[in-house]
Amino acid sequence: MKMNEKFWKIAEIVLGVIGAALLILILVLRIMGKDISALTYAIVGVVVLFLIADEFARSIRRRREKEEAAREKAEHPDEQTPETALPKDAFEFEQEQEKENP
């Protein structure tokens, strides 16, 4: 795991915990009948930051996995596994029999 990916994963976890704590605080204050309008802005901001951190971490991971796959493909070109293909006769239907029956 690269350092940049590690940073975004940690940021994602921290923002998730902060968001969960704010949500619990909002629920408790709502039950007590207090005004929670100021906290709604904070939780929306934390959720947006969480989603941004999550997307950065995922994009870095996808890029790393793509680079590793290309490196493995270059190292072992003869061991390429073919893509799984469905048999063509699996989609051939017997239309002649259906036409004869009605």
Side-chain angles (χ1 to χ4, degrees):
M1 188 183 306
K2 292 183 180 179
M3 186 61 177
N4 202 10
E5 182 183 4
K6 194 173 189 178
F7 168 76
W8 287 111
K9 285 300 242 182
I10 292 171
E12 179 183 1
I13 292 169
V14 168
L15 288 169
V17 169
I18 292 171
L22 278 173
L23 182 63
I24 291 171
L25 178 65
I26 287 174
L27 291 174
V28 168
L29 289 176
R30 178 77 178 178
I31 290 172
M32 292 173 52
K34 303 288 182 179
D35 183 33
I36 58 167
S37 60
L39 289 175
T40 56
Y41 297 117
I43 196 160
V44 168
V46 168
V47 168
V48 168
L49 290 175
F50 170 80
L51 292 174
I52 290 171
D54 181 51
E55 187 57 36
F56 274 116
R58 286 178 190 229
S59 66
I60 291 170
R61 189 187 76 233
R62 283 192 298 260
R63 189 179 328 132
R64 180 179 45 87
E65 288 174 353
K66 188 186 293 185
E67 290 170 357
E68 287 176 1
R71 191 175 341 116
E72 283 186 20
K73 193 174 189 180
E75 289 175 1
H76 307 290
D78 54 341
E79 296 180 8
Q80 295 178 2
T81 57
E83 293 290 325
T84 57
L86 295 173
K88 292 184 180 182
D89 40 324
F91 296 105
E92 292 178 4
F93 300 108
E94 298 178 14
Q95 296 177 358
E96 297 174 10
Q97 291 179 356
E98 291 177 4
K99 289 179 183 177
E100 293 175 3
N101 288 339

